[in-house]
Amino acid sequence: MLRTVDLRDVTSRYRTHLPRADFDVEQAVGVVRPICDDVARRGADALLDYSEQFDHVRPAHLRVPVAELERCAAGLEPDLASAFAESIRRRREVAEALETARDQPVAELAPGARVGLRSIPVDRVGLYVPGGLAPLASSVIMNVVPAQVAGVSSIAVASPPQQQFGGLPHPNILALCHMLGIDEVYAVGGAQAVAMFAHGVPDLCEPVSMVTGPGNIYVVAAKRYLRGIVGIDSEAGPTEIAIIADEDADAAFVAADLVSQAEHDPMAASVLVTDSEDLAARVVRELEEQVPVLKHAERIRTSLGGRQSAVVLVRDVEQAIDVANAYAAEHLEIQTRDAARVAEGIRNAGAIFVGAHSPVSLGDYSAGSTHVLPTAGCACHSSGLGVQSFLRHVHVIDYDAAALEELADGVEGFALAEDLPGHAAAIRVRRRA
């Protein structure tokens, strides 16, 4: 079910050997370009037509009535409502405690020469919540909570209309929006939802400053195509997990966690990095037992059997750390002896799950961390979605006349060296005042 990649004799350039899914966003841009342009031109009529074409339902309301949000929240099973509330509480607590940097520091460079830094929230954001193979209601929490903590004043949510729910998004998605106080919710999915947010639709949806949230390749392609008209969080590809495990790891735990990501999508990546051939064999046997009894067994088999998934054999745990840093997984689990020490060696990962009792599933829902994370190796340069994603950092320059005079000769000389005499004149005119 999982192929093997043996890196025990490899000493460098690990990325060229590691498994990855094919994810051609540029080709998908060609598909979504006419959709996005049509939404910009025809507005709500285009949204309705594409809902009928792609989602097989023509919603009675593109904007979900508030009464529907209330009805879905009231209809939640008590245990599920409690789980939703606890997930919201923990995500908000982490966001408020760890992700806020709003102290507006000021550097005093010389008497009268001050440069400050202000953190200003984005004015309006459009948050996308997938509703395809799995209606990811948890993404409502992961998008909305950090935006609220950042202080975003206007938040809209879009999720695909579902035929079985009369053209509304999944009830759990609507219930969570209500619990979070979000009443601007649209039954619009795919590239057309991103276009709606970017361009706005008269009498329906005002344009946003930023679009965030995961989606399929066409959502990603629309974000790429419309970037510049609107800000985006990232171009997220198929989900992925890497697990560093040694001979002491519980094979059943490792197998279950590989399966948990494979369940998302046939293109999802599940990678085990281990120095133990015995553990690898035990994990494969566990997969053979666990997968057939699961609801999405066929999807899981496709994912685990794809080129993006593998058992990667390494010489030792130190090489495993190097391989993990080269792979830069969206989710990285560490199931080894002294897992905390191993975690300290990780530089590149979207999120790190330390020890046998910190599975990715916990982070997907209620750990308090974000689950909107960089994929496809982008964790080497990008971060997950959090409070800072919704903040702009603006320098505030405040010099008095004496502080400017102290630097004036140097600034004028610098400007003339760049052949920009107008810049120099802007300094000189103040020296004559």
Side-chain angles (χ1 to χ4, degrees), residues 30-344:
V31 176
V32 305
R33 181 182 290 112
I35 296 172
C36 295
D37 293 347
D38 192 27
V39 170
R41 184 174 62 255
R42 294 198 300 126
D45 288 340
L47 295 176
L48 288 167
D49 289 346
Y50 290 123
S51 291
E52 190 168 17
Q53 179 180 344
F54 298 126
D55 301 307
H56 313 297
V57 64
R58 198 172 182 90
H61 305 280
L62 286 170
R63 178 165 175 173
V64 177
V66 172
E68 289 293 336
L69 305 179
E70 295 171 346
R71 180 184 65 79
C72 291
L76 287 173
E77 291 288 337
D79 288 348
L80 183 58
S82 177
F84 282 179
E86 182 63 11
S87 180
I88 291 168
R89 185 191 72 79
R90 291 188 181 222
R91 183 68 192 97
R92 194 179 301 279
E93 185 170 332
V94 169
E96 291 174 345
L98 301 182
E99 299 176 29
T100 51
R102 307 292 291 278
D103 53 352
Q104 301 184 5
V106 175
E108 187 86 22
L109 304 170
R114 295 176 297 277
V115 176
L117 185 67
R118 292 176 58 194
S119 298
I120 304 172
V122 173
D123 292 328
R124 174 168 164 79
V125 298
L127 311 178
Y128 187 78
V129 179
L133 292 177
L136 298 183
S138 53
S139 287
V140 179
I141 299 170
M142 301 300 168
N143 280 268
V144 170
V145 169
Q148 289 178 331
V149 173
V152 176
S153 59
S154 179
I155 298 173
V157 171
S159 190
Q162 306 285 319
Q163 192 174 26
Q164 66 266 43
F165 301 115
L168 293 171
H170 194 283
N172 289 347
I173 291 171
L174 300 184
L176 273 169
C177 287
H178 181 72
M179 292 173 71
L180 286 159
I182 303 300
D183 61 11
E184 186 180 353
V185 184
Y186 297 94
V188 181
Q192 58 271 26
V194 182
M196 175 188 71
F197 281 146
H199 295 295
V201 172
D203 302 320
L204 178 69
C205 178
E206 291 295 317
V208 304
S209 302
M210 183 179 184
V211 175
T212 73
N216 65 20
I217 193 169
Y218 300 109
V219 172
V220 174
K223 289 165 79 173
R224 175 180 291 188
Y225 178 56
L226 294 166
R227 186 173 192 169
I229 296 175
V230 68
I232 67 170
D233 52 346
S234 65
E235 295 183 6
T239 191
E240 60 199 24
I241 184 174
I243 303 176
I244 298 177
D246 59 18
E247 62 183 4
D248 288 349
D250 188 311
F253 291 3
V254 173
D257 295 350
L258 294 171
V259 165
S260 72
Q261 292 308 110
E263 183 178 45
H264 273 287
D265 189 299
M267 293 179 66
S270 296
V271 177
L272 169 61
V273 183
T274 183
D275 60 351
S276 170
E277 289 188 64
D278 177 65
L279 175 74
R282 286 187 282 123
V283 168
V284 169
R285 287 197 296 271
E286 281 287 340
L287 291 172
E288 291 169 350
E289 292 182 11
Q290 292 184 23
V291 171
V293 300
L294 294 172
K295 178 180 179 180
H296 304 298
E298 192 57 39
R299 186 191 306 167
I300 295 165
R301 286 193 189 95
T302 302
S303 169
L304 294 177
R307 60 176 295 175
Q308 71 273 17
S309 299
V311 173
V312 178
L313 294 176
V314 293
R315 293 183 298 276
D316 51 34
V317 171
E318 296 309 312
Q319 188 190 18
I321 292 172
D322 292 339
V323 168
N325 281 324
Y327 185 69
E330 177 189 16
H331 309 92
L332 177 65
E333 289 188 0
I334 300 173
Q335 298 192 38
T336 65
R337 294 183 296 273
D338 199 6
R341 181 197 67 79
V342 175
E344 290 176 359

